[in-house]
Structure formats: C-alpha cells, structure tokens
Amino acid sequence: MAMLTRQHPQLQIGFVGKIDSDNFVRWPKFFEYLQQSARKQIDTIPFLYGGYAIHRNVCKGNVYGRVCANPAFIATCFASGAMAYVSTALAQHVYMDGTTLERKREVWIVGEDMQLGNMAYSDGNVTPYVINHRYGKLGGYINTHCFNDPALYRREYYKIYPDQNKRMEVDAELLNATTK
C-alpha cells in the first residue's frame, strides 16, 4: 500500500491500515471521531499511528498475557485487535525509505498488531503521534467486534445505513415478482 500511495499521489490516500474481517466499522462515526479528536494533528503531524492503543506498561501485565514483556517488542504502545492504521507518510517512511532492512529484521515480532506497532516505532528518529480510540467522545463507538456472526454484522450495518435495508427489501420483492 505504501508503494501505491507513492505511485498514485492523486488518490490522496491519507492512511493505510488493517481491519479484522469480523469487525464492523461505523465509518461515519470514525470520520467524525477523527474530525473531533485529531483534526489538528492530522493537518500538522506527518507521522500518525491510530487505533485502540494499549501502552506497553499495561500490556506487560497479566491482563494482556504479558505480550509486551517480550524484549522484541520495542514500541511505546500498540493498537490492539479490530483496526489499526498509520499515516501514509509514516507507512512510506518505515516500510520504504527510513527504516533499513536490517532494522526491520531486528524489530520483527509475531502478531500483526504488535508488528505494526513495532514498525511504527522502528526508526528512533521518528516518534509517531498516537490517535488513541480509547479516548474521546466517539472512541468506543467506532467499531463492533462481530465474532464472525453474520446476523450481528448485518444488524450493525443496517443501524448505520438503514436506507440499504429498504433497498434490499425492494430488490427482494422485485426478484420474487420476476421469478413467479
């Protein structure tokens, strides 16, 4: 993705990241959250790392299975689970230009969330600003973990996009009318 952002700057991709497939993101709430909680930082700070961030001192403990106690974990925090992202500038820096292959090998750690955190902090000359979904008015409402339950995923979807449910009902009626 970092290469795509470089090859096609006209797309104006601001962030790249990962989302778990059984996670429902309320995109309008996510964008509202960013507008309310991080607009100034997005406009002025090039290196951003976001998600539901857990500080390394917290995840060193038993609650998180001591995952951050691993000496290979170098990050100040990591964005756990459902979604995590980095600004395009940070992605290009750590994956393409600023972090050497040798350093990437040094900070490699098992686990996608931990790995993304390590990469965000892989260059000691760069400290990313963390957009932490744990805080802010809408932070807890950005997404829902659906636990691979398609019915729950659909319910969450239609809460946010109720007009799509009506459209689906009309399509179903049309389909039934044409198959009779």
Side-chain angles (χ1 to χ4, degrees), residues 69-142:
N70 182 340
F73 183 66
I74 60 150
T76 301
C77 65
F78 76 100
S80 66
M83 69 184 293
Y85 52 91
V86 294
S87 61
T88 300
L90 183 57
Q92 287 176 343
H93 181 78
V94 299
Y95 289 103
M96 310 266 310
D97 303 328
T99 302
T100 66
L101 180 58
E102 180 181 338
R103 180 66 174 154
K104 289 174 190 168
R105 287 180 178 144
E106 289 171 5
V107 302
W108 179 257
I109 189 169
V110 174
E112 62 190 13
D113 301 335
M114 308 285 290
Q115 179 58 35
L116 186 59
N118 263 10
M119 286 304 296
Y121 287 89
S122 63
D123 183 342
N125 296 317
V126 170
T127 302
Y129 177 84
V130 177
I131 301 171
N132 194 342
H133 299 182
R134 293 178 73 179
Y135 307 107
K137 184 178 171 187
L138 298 169
Y141 192 65
I142 291 171

